[in-house]
Amino acid sequence: MNRDFSPREIEIFAAVMLHGTTTKAADSLEITQPAVSKALIHIGDKAGFKLFRKVRQRLVPTPEAHILYAEVEKVFESARLISRTAREIRELRTGRLEITSLPAFGTTLLPEIVARFSELHPTLSIGVDIRATTTVIQRASRNQIDIGIGATLDEDNPSITRRSFASTPPVCVMPEGHPLAALPVVTLEDLQGQNFVSLANGDPMRMRLDQMCDARGIGRNVKIEASLSGACLGLVAAGAGVAVVDRLSAWMARHLPIEIRAFEPMLDINLSIYRPWGVAASSVSEAFSAFLVQETRAYLQEVDEGIRRMAQDLA
């Protein structure tokens, strides 16, 4: 004889312990009273000891039944915990999110977005790391992160998925009072002979700009190189020269003594969300991705309008 209790038998035993009669137990389980009585016989046979004594139409549990019910309660508590955990996951009240972002986004707008998302979901745990786009892609391909944010690179990498979500064409920045500040739009030709603060070798924007200057014979006086847009902006504010950087970093640094102008020809620089290929996104990851796209696009609209107003003020 198999003495293992089935989940249904455990449920019936618990209902009888709770309600005291087979009729009330049957009503609570929405089954017939004979079915409960029959199940109790099987449960008692499997247990090998008497579970209840009948006293005045009620079933009085034996001491052995109380010991068994204590264990059953542990099972029910585990079930309740599983249900509660599922509900918390569904309602984004538990979990951890690992994000890695390129510096131009991770040190500018991302902190505000993460902070607001955290306010909406205060029990979530979020990790943020700042790395170059190549590292973002590498970590996504190794399934080491939930979300990677980097410049859009047209590399064929079967280990990742990529979703472009924002266009961030660069702008030209110069110190206050610089001659180029008199122009509503700075063109590539306007960079001829200018002291120039450049992003470091290997940066996608740096490579695109260098290629365009070489193709048109534009000679810049590249005096200083810096690995981050923020460092370039600090150098421009200090009077080291002009620079071409992403508009998000430039706008965030508009409190510095710099001028920001649209730049032509427009460089097609986009931001993308990178994720591991073949790994289903968690509910937390999907929710944050949607929030990230919405907040970024809304803020970049404000940035574009602000830069246009700067040019209009010159008229």
Side-chain angles (χ1 to χ4, degrees), residues 185-197:
V185 178
V186 175
T187 66
L188 192 69
E189 286 71 20
D190 294 324
L191 299 181
Q192 176 68 40
Q194 295 289 341
N195 290 335
F196 196 80
V197 179

Side-chain angles (χ1 to χ4, degrees), residues 140-143 145-146 157-162 274-282:
S141 69
R142 295 175 179 175
N143 194 22
I145 56 176
D146 298 299
N157 190 329
S159 299
I160 60 171
T161 63
R162 185 192 71 206
Y274 291 93
R275 294 198 65 258
W277 183 88
V279 179
S282 66

Side-chain angles (χ1 to χ4, degrees), residues 172-178 181 236 256-261 310 314:
C172 185
V173 292
M174 66 285 304
E176 285 183 343
H178 192 280
V236 170
L256 296 175
I258 61 173
E259 298 283 351
I260 306 171
R261 297 291 180 268
M310 286 182 174
L314 296 175

Side-chain angles (χ1 to χ4, degrees), residues 225-238:
E225 296 180 354
S227 59
L228 301 178
S229 295
C232 289
L233 290 161
L235 289 162
V236 170

Side-chain angles (χ1 to χ4, degrees), residues 19-59:
H19 296 287
T21 69
T22 55
T23 301
K24 290 182 179 179
D27 290 342
S28 71
L29 297 173
E30 298 183 346
I31 59 177
T32 65
Q33 184 272 337
V36 173
S37 297
K38 185 178 179 180
L40 282 181
I41 294 172
H42 287 299
I43 295 169
D45 290 341
K46 286 184 178 181
F49 50 82
K50 199 170 186 64
L51 293 172
F52 298 96
R53 300 183 189 279
K54 198 165 186 179
V55 179
R56 297 178 184 176
Q57 303 304 313
R58 289 187 63 85
L59 294 176

